[in-house]
Amino acid sequence: MGKFLLGLATGLLLVFLTVVLIFFAAWRFRDRPPDIADNSVLVLRLQGEIPEKPPVEMPAFLGGDGPRLTVTGFWMTLRKAAADTHIKAVVLEPERLAAGWAKLEEMRADLDQFRKSGKPVYAYLRTPGTREYYLATAADRIYLGGSDLVMVRGLRAELMFFKKTLDKLGVVVEVEHAGKYKDYGDMFTRSDMSAETRDVMNLLVDDLYGNLVAKIAAGRKKTPEEVRSIIDQGPFTATQAQKAGLVDALKYEDEMWGELKDRLKTGEPHKVALDDYLKVPPEAVGLGGKSRIALVVAEGEIERGDAGDNGADESKLTSYGFNKLLRKVRNDATIQGVIVRIDSPGGEVVASDEMWREMSLLSRKKPVVISMSDVAASGGYDMAMTGDPIVAYPQTETGSIGVVFGKPNLHGLYDKLGITKDAVERGKHADVESDYTPLTPEEREMLRRGIDESYRDFVNRVATARHRSFNEIEPLAQGRVWLGDQAKERGLVDELGGLDTAIDLVKQKAKIPAAEHVSLVMYPSRRSIVDVLLRRGADDPLQTRLAQVFGRVPFHAWMKGGMLRVMPYWFTVQ
């Protein structure tokens, strides 16, 4: 028996040591930069979502494929490639992209900037939708397989409503809100858009469609009228797309590479994968700088979280974790300026208020610029009200200055299931958040007063930060969502642009010479599987599953109840 236990202990020890050695090796060599050969072409194969926050890096022996692409990573990659004498061109291959329109605007602008280096961009498309084609119009030439399709057919915004389903289940959602456009809860209480929602959606889609038409027209050297007429004929076969001038040539991919080789006239090009090139440090191509600028990412649905959060969670934005990042940056003497990159539809009132407070403390100590991504609305907009310059893309979903309270009443569902609840309570309104009782008229009035007070505080905060009066801001509030260019016209943001604009502004504030390169320091930093294993998981399985089914809808915040500063509706423009 003793030999058995000794053997078992020895085996377990060997397994443990092996795992430790493997992880150490993965950690040691994960950042080793590749050698880039002369006459190389950078291949940008893009799929799925392009997040702001660095995802977890998995080692190769666990199926990982190196660093994961972020918006900032794409931006830096093209700047490195433009400066790298080994890189002669870029080949863009987007497929099934899920990025929002503001992120696509950043990426398209990055491709335009790269072309200014004199190096060509070729795009090879595989059954492109509108997103993929929009990005490809920044290329010098667009290729498509001869039997493929171009699924460009305009834009459509769809909202999902659950009232009829909830009626069948016996579920009632109790909602109160401040702001006539703060239609949060309509998805649970209506079966179609309200007049206010339809008004906003028409304005948003008109703006997005106008930008789409303008960028296609510029990229394909056509008039906007010609592009609108062409889109109305879509989708297209390959032959139809070429005839309409949407693509330049119908070729197999190897034939496209042959034409690029002929253009470069430098022999057979070496293909460099994006995952490999991400590992090349900026210093290797002369882009490193002594001045350090922090780029702090605020991405996801806002909630308070718990004290163990570290700001790196990919699925949500917690005040506990985000504030730790801000304090770390604030106390780092080597950081000369800060860009806070927001991509959030909002969430819990208290959490967004706590983050605003920490942002304000940071702003007192260091130069700060706010850069908004796909969405910075409601609580995501609230946290940015520090008085610092705000940069948004023309397509950034912005504003939604309003407050809402919601709770589910499951009494009808419990009746169907044969479940009853009985309670003993003290206090007149002890059951105000019970899922078994409806709100009384008195409770609704009480909640209305609280919501209105929170709404006035929100509007006053915006007015103070934007140097406007309450009466100037309130008509722009009402829970209404604006796109970035509309918000700029109304004084809700300062500049239209992306990362380049934000960097220029923070350099001005930090008194860094305009021509000087700076080093961007990402917060949170990249994480390996080791970081994940060493941290207790705190994901909500129900929330994760609902996110898979319904996408961006913040069910977690809604199910917790209480007052929310959150987008009034969730939509995807396809």
Side-chain angles (χ1 to χ4, degrees):
M1 187 65 172
K3 292 183 179 180
F4 171 76
L5 292 175
L6 180 61
L8 179 62
T10 302
L12 290 173
L13 179 61
L14 288 174
V15 169
F16 174 77
L17 290 175
T18 301
V19 170
V20 169
L21 288 172
I22 290 174
F23 277 126
F24 177 79
W27 180 270
R28 172 66 179 83
F29 296 109
R30 69 172 186 160
D31 289 326
R32 175 174 290 181
D35 293 324
I36 306 300
D38 289 332
N39 192 35
S40 291
V41 173
L42 176 61
V43 182
L44 301 178
R45 289 195 174 94
L46 308 175
Q47 287 188 340
E49 295 183 357
I50 312 294
E52 297 287 348
K53 198 177 294 184
V56 176
E57 293 178 19
M58 299 290 286
F61 67 89
L62 289 179
D65 51 5
R68 298 280 301 282
L69 183 65
T70 62
V71 175
T72 306
F74 187 87
W75 172 86
M76 179 53 75
T77 291
L78 285 173
R79 271 143 192 77
K80 290 187 300 185
D84 193 340
T85 57
H86 299 95
I87 299 293
K88 305 300 182 185
V90 161
V91 168
L92 174 69
E93 297 186 358
E95 192 171 358
R96 298 189 300 279
L97 289 175
W101 291 98
K103 290 176 182 173
L104 291 173
E105 178 74 9
E106 171 69 50
M107 296 166 73
R108 194 185 185 284
D110 296 339
L111 290 164
D112 278 337
Q113 184 67 27
F114 172 83
R115 288 178 61 191
K116 292 178 182 178
S117 68
K119 302 175 183 181
V121 176
Y122 278 22
Y124 194 86
L125 301 178
R126 294 176 175 84
T127 318
T130 307
R131 279 176 165 79
E132 293 77 23
Y133 185 74
Y134 173 81
L135 198 58
T137 57
D140 295 88
R141 287 180 63 78
I142 301 176
Y143 292 82
L144 184 75
S147 60
D148 213 332
L149 298 172
V150 175
M151 303 303 290
V152 174
R153 54 194 184 277
L155 297 180
R156 173 183 174 85
E158 270 190 358
L159 279 69
M160 188 178 292
F161 297 89
F162 308 105
K163 183 180 185 304
K164 292 182 179 180
T165 300
L166 297 177
D167 287 346
K168 293 178 180 180
L169 295 173
V171 175
V172 176
V173 178
E174 309 269 4
V175 177
E176 289 291 335
H177 58 82
K180 67 179 181 179
Y181 293 101
K182 199 69 173 180
D183 295 338
Y184 177 84
D186 276 14
M187 68 184 80
F188 308 118
T189 61
R190 296 179 59 96
S191 56
D192 59 2
M193 297 184 209
S194 67
E196 291 82 5
T197 298
R198 190 171 297 277
D199 176 45
V200 173
M201 295 307 300
N202 273 313
L203 191 62
L204 296 186
V205 175
D206 280 344
D207 198 305
L208 289 170
Y209 190 59
N211 178 73
L212 172 69
V213 169
K215 291 300 169 61
I216 293 177
R220 303 307 296 167
K221 297 179 173 56
K222 297 181 180 296
T223 67
E225 292 72 22
E226 287 175 321
V227 172
R228 289 179 187 272
S229 177
I230 290 170
I231 290 176
D232 285 342
Q233 301 168 42
F236 307 87
T237 64
T239 303
Q240 291 168 342
Q242 185 182 34
K243 185 177 179 180
L246 296 178
V247 300
D248 295 292
L250 305 181
K251 302 281 186 180
Y252 291 104
E253 186 179 358
D254 63 296
E255 294 176 308
M256 180 271 294
W257 279 99
E259 291 195 4
L260 179 58
K261 174 184 174 181
D262 292 341
R263 173 167 176 170
L264 295 177
K265 296 182 175 60
T266 52
E268 192 68 34
H270 299 276
K271 300 177 184 178
V272 178
L274 172 59
D275 290 341
D276 290 331
Y277 202 69
L278 284 169
K279 301 173 186 175
V280 174
E283 294 77 14
V285 293
L287 294 182
K290 294 181 180 178
S291 300
R292 287 161 51 90
I293 300 296
L295 194 149
V296 188
V297 176
E299 182 178 32
E301 175 195 346
I302 294 174
E303 56 183 89
R304 297 186 79 176
D306 61 57
D309 293 341
N310 60 8
D313 194 299
E314 296 170 40
S315 62
K316 55 194 173 185
L317 171 58
T318 71
S319 56
Y320 273 109
F322 184 70
N323 287 348
K324 286 179 182 178
L325 295 178
L326 294 180
R327 285 192 287 271
K328 185 175 182 181
V329 170
R330 191 176 79 214
N331 295 323
D332 188 340
T334 69
I335 297 295
Q336 293 175 251
V338 185
I339 297 171
V340 179
R341 178 80 170 175
I342 300 176
D343 189 17
S344 173
E348 297 178 13
V349 168
V350 174
S352 61
D353 182 65
E354 288 175 346
M355 292 191 293
W356 169 82
R357 166 64 174 166
E358 202 64 43
M359 292 261 289
S360 299
L361 293 176
L362 174 66
S363 180
R364 295 175 190 173
K365 192 167 184 179
K366 295 182 184 291
V368 174
V369 170
I370 312 296
S371 173
M372 295 179 170
S373 182
D374 277 337
V375 55
S378 207
Y381 185 71
D382 178 34
M383 65 183 287
M385 294 298 103
T386 60
D388 294 301
I390 299 175
V391 181
Y393 299 96
Q395 295 84 13
T396 299
E397 296 163 28
T398 308
S400 187
I401 303 165
V403 182
V404 65
F405 171 92
K407 77 156 188 173
N409 179 1
L410 307 181
H411 197 134
L413 175 60
Y414 291 148
D415 286 345
K416 292 177 184 293
L417 298 175
I419 298 172
T420 59
K421 285 189 174 184
D422 201 358
V424 175
E425 58 193 53
R426 298 293 184 272
K428 191 172 181 180
H429 304 297
D431 64 347
V432 70
E433 290 191 344
S434 170
D435 66 358
Y436 199 63
T437 60
L439 294 174
T440 66
E442 184 180 359
E443 288 169 342
R444 285 188 179 278
E445 178 58 28
M446 178 188 66
L447 289 169
R448 285 291 317 170
R449 290 196 298 270
I451 291 169
D452 288 344
E453 180 180 327
S454 181
Y455 175 66
R456 287 193 299 272
D457 290 344
F458 195 171
V459 175
N460 275 319
R461 178 173 293 175
V462 175
T464 300
R466 304 305 300 160
H467 308 291
R468 309 275 289 279
S469 70
F470 180 96
N471 291 334
E472 288 177 303
I473 292 297
E474 207 279 332
L476 306 175
Q478 297 286 331
R480 182 161 187 158
V481 178
W482 306 97
L483 290 182
D485 54 357
Q486 299 163 352
K488 171 69 164 58
E489 292 174 2
R490 291 159 177 83
L492 297 177
V493 304
D494 296 291
E495 299 285 347
L496 295 180
L499 291 170
D500 282 324
T501 303
I503 289 172
D504 289 343
L505 286 174
V506 80
K507 285 166 70 174
Q508 291 175 25
K509 292 191 71 176
K511 296 181 172 53
I512 300 171
E516 182 180 320
H517 293 303
V518 296
S519 294
L520 279 187
V521 186
M522 197 82 168
Y523 293 83
S525 60
R526 289 185 296 162
R527 294 182 300 154
S528 72
I529 187 64
V530 176
D531 300 317
V532 177
L533 291 175
L534 292 178
R535 182 174 180 266
R536 177 179 56 86
D539 287 343
D540 184 335
L542 177 58
Q543 181 187 9
T544 301
R545 181 56 184 156
L546 289 172
Q548 293 170 350
V549 175
F550 297 107
R552 296 169 58 196
V553 181
F555 278 94
H556 189 265
W558 169 69
M559 291 173 69
K560 291 177 71 172
M563 293 185 188
L564 304 175
R565 288 178 183 165
V566 69
M567 281 271 285
Y569 33 73
W570 283 263
F571 59 94
T572 300
V573 180
Q574 300 286 8

